Amino acid sequence: MMADKRDQVLDEDSLVSGITASETTTNHFYVVKGKVQRVMFRQTLIRAAHGRGLVAGATNLKAHKDTVKVTLQGDGEQIKELVALVRSGMLLNSWGAKATSVTRVKRGIDLSDHQVTTANVDSIKWKSGVTFHLH
């Protein structure tokens, strides 16, 4: 299977540590793998991003049930902190959401094209009973 050109990985120096203050209005694209579908991962991530003052979007990949594409925009330090927490392997919520890898890529999904965003997260009817560990 050929990789999508939009998923081209940035070099190691560009991953999280490469975010600068001048990139605060630039979209930062990530591919997150792990237990990230059917466990409220998108809602958990988007609410944590919103709490940090970030604009964010997340989309499940139908063909890859262990993968979510994420776009983050905002303060570089807040993005670094959020990505580091997700990348840490911690349980992100009470439903067992957990990332096994978080990779920054050159291109991704525009914020307005994501399934879940900071703009629409409250209008989606989510299942109840999830406790967020990622804040």
Side-chain angles (χ1 to χ4, degrees):
M1 179 172 78
M2 183 176 244
D4 188 325
K5 287 183 180 182
R6 291 176 295 180
D7 291 343
Q8 187 174 11
V9 176
L10 293 174
D11 61 66
E12 281 301 313
D13 293 334
S14 301
L15 292 174
V16 176
S17 60
I19 298 171
T20 64
S22 64
E23 292 185 279
T24 58
T25 58
T26 303
N27 289 334
H28 299 268
F29 304 109
Y30 297 89
V31 175
V32 181
K33 293 187 176 195
K35 189 174 179 182
V36 293
Q37 289 194 29
R38 303 184 58 84
V39 290
M40 300 291 195
F41 172 80
R42 293 174 302 164
Q43 180 184 188
T44 302
L45 178 73
I46 297 303
R47 292 193 185 284
H50 180 69
R52 287 174 169 75
L54 301 173
V55 177
T59 297
N60 287 339
L61 295 189
K62 288 182 183 179
H64 302 281
K65 297 298 182 190
D66 67 340
T67 305
V68 172
K69 287 194 173 186
V70 174
T71 304
L72 299 171
Q73 185 182 84
D75 180 72
E77 289 301 314
Q78 293 297 323
I79 292 172
K80 282 195 277 191
E81 179 183 299
L82 180 59
V83 169
L85 285 170
V86 173
R87 188 177 275 146
S88 75
M90 68 180 276
L91 284 179
L92 303 172
N93 64 35
S94 62
W95 284 32
K98 180 178 178 180
T100 56
S101 73
V102 180
T103 306
R104 187 170 178 200
V105 294
K106 288 186 179 183
R107 291 185 217 130
I109 300 172
D110 288 331
L111 281 166
S112 61
D113 294 331
H114 274 289
Q115 296 164 342
V116 181
T117 67
T118 45
N120 74 7
V121 68
D122 289 329
S123 65
I124 296 171
K125 184 174 174 147
W126 299 100
K127 292 182 180 177
S128 61
V130 65
T131 302
F132 304 114
H133 305 313
L134 180 64
H135 300 283

